[in-house]
Amino acid sequence: MARGLVTVFAPSPQLTVTVEVLDGNPDIHVHAGGQGVWQSRMIDSLGVDVVLCAALGGETGSVLRHLIGVELKALDVTARNGAYVHDRRDGVRDPVVVMPADALSRHDLDDLYEMTLVQGLHAGVAVLSGPAADDEPVPDSVYRRLAEDLGANGCRVVVDLSGARLAAALEGSPAVVKVSHEELLADGLSESDALPDLARACRRIASSGVGTVVVSRAADGALALVDGEFFLVEVPRLSTVDTRGGGDSMTAGLAAGLALGRSAHDSLKLGAAAGAVNVMRHGLGSGGGDVVRELAERVRLTRWEEDR
């Protein structure tokens, strides 16, 4: 049975250190992190082959090379990868220290772009993920160029970005855009979190040539625009351990579904189930493929009319 293949563009993964409590004592966890890493883990869990394209440099980059855990196409650079230390001993994430990533040099940027283009064209489905919010290892224009060049040559591009990075990627007309309602509000694309305003934002995004727009709404069901029709996405209720990473897992499920040859609607169900599973677990981008597939059968898509 074909597994499908997805390329994930993660320009600068992070080294993450999280302190928790085990039997009353500090319990330290060291992982590779960042949006693209978390997405790649979930794609792999769903039985789809994944290739992560990233730049690695400095001591943090050396450690990350051994922690990423999926097939890696790494560009060796002098720019350091970022890192953070979070303290979760009281049940919430308390940032202790954050080290931002360094910007890539012009030549390194060209090499990373070329490597991602080759891998994306080979895979046929590519996810464009961003670095940490305050990191700027690559210019925003890279997202426009990748979306445009990959899409023009038959690759279906899935975008999970916000702000100037999203605006740049939209100029390249990606196939799928996943965005949260908080990001739409912060970017001034929606006037409120009411469904009619979010729907208007979806229409504006779709006007860039995007076929599917998915807006995650935290604990509420997502709103999706698929080939001109709106749907409300209802997922089974699960207990919540950590809400971070739910949107990244949803993006992973969307991309995995496309790589497996599923329809946009079935890919949306898989993405919604992956997001739901992630929030009931410790660790981002985690969750077993069996439980995601089982829950996907229980996801409901209900048509929603804009004049409500």
Side-chain angles (χ1 to χ4, degrees):
M1 181 177 177
R3 285 176 54 97
L5 177 61
V6 176
T7 291
V8 176
F9 175 64
S12 187
Q14 286 180 301
L15 180 64
T16 75
V17 180
T18 304
V19 185
E20 298 190 352
V21 174
L22 179 64
D23 297 330
N25 296 310
D27 186 31
I28 298 176
H29 299 264
V30 181
H31 294 290
Q35 187 181 43
V37 172
W38 299 322
Q39 290 164 344
S40 297
R41 288 177 185 157
M42 180 58 76
I43 292 169
D44 182 65
S45 293
L46 293 174
V48 174
D49 292 329
V50 61
V51 176
L52 181 71
C53 294
L56 299 179
E59 292 184 15
T60 46
S62 297
V63 176
L64 281 167
R65 184 179 297 276
H66 302 285
L67 296 177
I68 285 177
V70 298
E71 184 176 348
L72 174 67
K73 295 292 183 181
L75 179 70
D76 293 323
V77 298
T78 57
R80 300 171 305 167
N81 293 84
Y84 68 68
V85 178
H86 284 180
D87 189 339
R88 257 185 45 160
R89 283 175 289 180
D90 61 357
V92 297
R93 289 184 179 271
D94 179 22
V96 177
V97 63
V98 177
M99 185 183 85
D102 294 334
L104 298 183
S105 70
R106 178 168 59 88
H107 294 297
D108 287 341
L109 179 60
D110 287 344
D111 290 342
L112 179 61
Y113 187 92
E114 181 180 295
M115 180 175 68
T116 304
L117 185 65
V118 170
Q119 294 300 320
L121 293 177
H122 176 67
V125 176
V127 176
L128 304 186
S129 71
D134 296 328
D135 288 358
E136 296 183 4
V138 300
D140 299 334
S141 60
V142 167
Y143 293 99
R144 173 190 59 77
R145 294 173 55 213
L146 278 173
E148 184 175 2
D149 291 349
L150 288 168
N153 289 281
C155 179
R156 288 169 293 178
V157 177
V158 180
V159 165
D160 188 348
L161 301 164
S162 62
R165 293 167 187 152
L166 173 60
L170 289 178
E171 294 182 26
S173 302
V176 179
V177 168
K178 203 292 294 180
V179 65
S180 72
H181 76 282
E182 293 100 334
E183 291 165 340
L184 290 179
L185 291 170
D187 294 345
L189 294 175
S190 182
E191 293 183 4
S192 76
D193 60 2
L195 284 173
D197 286 335
L198 296 177
R200 281 187 282 273
C202 288
R203 289 289 186 194
R204 282 193 287 271
I205 291 173
S207 69
S208 299
V210 180
T212 298
V213 183
V214 182
V215 180
S216 58
R217 299 191 301 145
D220 296 321
L223 175 68
L225 177 62
V226 182
D227 296 330
E229 288 188 307
F230 280 104
F231 295 88
L232 291 176
V233 184
E234 181 183 352
V235 300
R237 291 289 181 182
L238 299 170
S239 57
T240 299
V241 172
D242 190 346
T243 59
R244 292 180 74 242
D248 296 327
S249 289
M250 174 180 276
T251 300
L254 285 163
L258 293 177
L260 291 170
R262 298 189 180 187
S263 68
H265 297 91
D266 286 342
S267 296
L268 177 57
K269 291 180 180 181
L270 190 66
V277 167
N278 187 91
V279 301
M280 75 174 191
R281 294 175 57 93
H282 296 90
L284 307 182
S286 63
D290 288 342
V291 67
V292 172
R293 284 185 288 271
E294 186 66 33
L295 284 175
E297 298 297 325
R298 292 166 168 77
V299 174
R300 297 290 177 261
L301 304 184
T302 304
R303 282 189 173 83
W304 182 80
E305 302 295 336
E306 290 175 82
D307 57 0
R308 289 185 181 181

